[in-house]
Amino acid sequence: MPHPSDVSKPGDKPLTYREAGVDIDAGNALVDAIGPLAAKTKRAGVLGNLGGFGGLFDLAACGFKDPVLVAATDGVGTKLKLAIDTGLHAGIGIDLVAMSVNDLVVQGAEPLFFLDYFATGKLDVGVAAEVVASIAEGCSQAGCALIGGETAEMPGLYGDGDYDLAGFAVGAVERDAVLPRPDLKAGDVMVGLPSSGCHANGFSLVRRVVAACGLSWSDPAPFAPDAALGEALLAPTRIYVRQVLETIRANPGAVKALCHITGGGLIDNLPRILPPTLSAAIDVEAIGMPPVFAWLKAEARLDAHEMYRTFNCGIGMVVAIAPDDFTRVRTSLGPEALPIGTLTARGDGPAVVLGATDIPA
């Protein structure tokens, strides 16, 4: 006698994975679409192609003699919600790559390869392909290879049109070139490299400010009237990798430390590279306040301290150098490089002091 569970009921039909909300064919179509994008990021060390169970990379092919591997992972926070709400996905992958590779380079590491994770409730191949295309663009800017990733379709976990992103980067640096160096000392100069806007930090507050102002993403940006607000705020995070690595290679031993200014701003990030004996004295007047941050400061009614521990406020990367090396390193970095402060003895004071200070011209 058959078991009751083996007996089909009238009108029963198989319940497929597709009917449960997961479209394997769409996933395969996405892999086909992004294969050529990933191929364009191929660099020395890459073995194989997309589609395997893991990405292969030959470190020996990169010319390192005594390498240390450096790994970083990150997302783009609630900036992702802005991309989803506006339908502007073409830069969000650059943000994703930037947040990890900028973290690698501050330790002196050259980014080698990148993997992405894209999760959604129902896969829209067009949107996903646009996002991955921007990830590939970010990898090209950083000089690293997109060697793999994961696309997860999880109905019931994400709302209609929503998706989430995470990125994973691996780089390498010669053992004797790891940053920060141990010889940071009072008198060293802090040079800042400009940001392109909010990058991928502080967007929970940004979104609240926009809502409180009664603005829509399609309205003219109060700080950039020639652009729509959503488009202006979605300016991709700058990738500093090539600029910084070229400077390090052109000036051996001159760069003492690097700091990526992310969530927490200058106030919370600079202490991560400083010994407990030193403070960073930052001249905020030298930095100025780019229009987007001046607008946010006014609308959110934040004081300077809170602004500089929430947003990058116009500086996305800081380079620490000895005074004797200042001129040549600044020349290598380019005309945008801006001296913003110096290192001083900390004593019982805070790790970061905002205010006027003597810095080289």
Side-chain angles (χ1 to χ4, degrees):
M1 173 179 285
H3 190 277
S5 63
D6 296 330
V7 179
S8 296
K9 298 177 182 178
D12 280 356
K13 64 176 182 179
L15 182 60
T16 66
Y17 208 12
R18 182 193 294 268
E19 289 170 328
V22 179
D23 190 341
I24 296 174
D25 292 333
N28 290 336
L30 177 61
V31 172
D32 292 340
I34 65 179
L37 302 174
K40 291 181 180 179
T41 70
K42 193 168 185 178
R43 54 154 294 159
V46 174
L47 302 177
N49 299 303
L50 289 182
F53 287 97
L56 303 177
F57 195 90
D58 179 9
L59 188 59
C62 297
F64 289 97
K65 298 175 182 177
D66 185 21
V68 174
L69 291 178
V70 185
T73 182
D74 211 336
V76 294
T78 57
K79 187 175 185 178
L80 196 58
K81 183 63 175 170
L82 177 50
I84 293 167
D85 288 348
T86 60
L88 301 174
H89 310 283
I92 203 70
I94 297 175
D95 286 294
L96 184 69
V97 175
M99 298 309 289
S100 285
V101 298
N102 285 341
D103 279 354
L104 291 185
V105 79
V106 300
Q107 296 178 81
E110 173 188 350
L112 301 175
F113 58 84
F114 188 86
L115 298 96
D116 69 278
Y117 174 79
F118 180 102
T120 187
K122 180 174 177 57
L123 183 61
D124 182 321
V125 175
V127 169
E130 189 174 9
V131 171
V132 177
S134 69
I135 292 172
E137 170 60 24
C139 288
S140 294
Q141 290 183 24
C144 66
L146 178 59
I147 65 170
E150 170 70 4
T151 303
E153 195 172 19
M154 297 182 282
L157 189 58
Y158 295 93
D160 290 345
D162 286 347
Y163 61 89
D164 199 7
L165 290 175
F168 311 86
V170 173
V173 57
E174 297 290 1
R175 191 178 304 272
D176 61 0
V178 174
L179 298 177
R181 282 172 31 188
D183 60 342
L184 285 166
K185 61 183 180 181
D188 287 344
V189 184
M190 312 294 280
V191 174
L193 299 179
S195 66
S196 55
C198 294
H199 284 181
N201 301 108
F203 274 86
S204 294
L205 178 56
V206 170
R207 289 166 55 239
R208 289 196 63 179
V209 168
V210 170
C213 290
L215 295 170
S216 70
W217 301 125
S218 59
D219 288 336
F223 52 88
D226 292 338
L229 179 59
E231 181 182 8
L233 288 171
L234 280 168
T237 304
R238 275 193 57 175
I239 293 176
Y240 299 96
V241 170
R242 292 184 187 273
Q243 181 181 16
V244 167
L245 287 181
E246 287 172 3
T247 295
I248 290 173
R249 291 163 182 163
N251 303 274
V255 174
K256 289 189 171 186
L258 296 162
C259 186
H260 183 202
I261 308 304
T262 55
L266 289 165
I267 289 177
D268 282 355
N269 282 288
L270 284 174
R272 299 166 68 179
I273 66 167
L274 298 177
T277 57
L278 294 177
S279 291
I282 302 299
D283 188 342
V284 294
E285 291 187 6
I287 297 172
M289 185 73 73
V292 60
F293 298 109
W295 175 71
L296 287 166
K297 183 177 186 297
E299 294 297 337
R301 300 177 301 281
L302 299 179
D303 61 25
H305 185 273
E306 193 63 22
M307 278 296 297
Y308 279 94
R309 70 185 303 266
T310 303
F311 298 106
N312 66 63
C313 291
I315 298 296
M317 182 70 71
V318 176
V319 186
I321 50 182
D324 290 346
D325 295 321
F326 167 73
T327 300
R328 63 189 179 104
V329 171
R330 185 184 185 188
T331 299
S332 292
L333 289 169
E336 66 176 10
L338 178 70
I340 62 170
T342 57
L343 296 186
T344 62
R346 184 181 304 188
D348 295 328
V352 177
V353 179
L354 302 180
T357 185
D358 292 328
I359 51 178

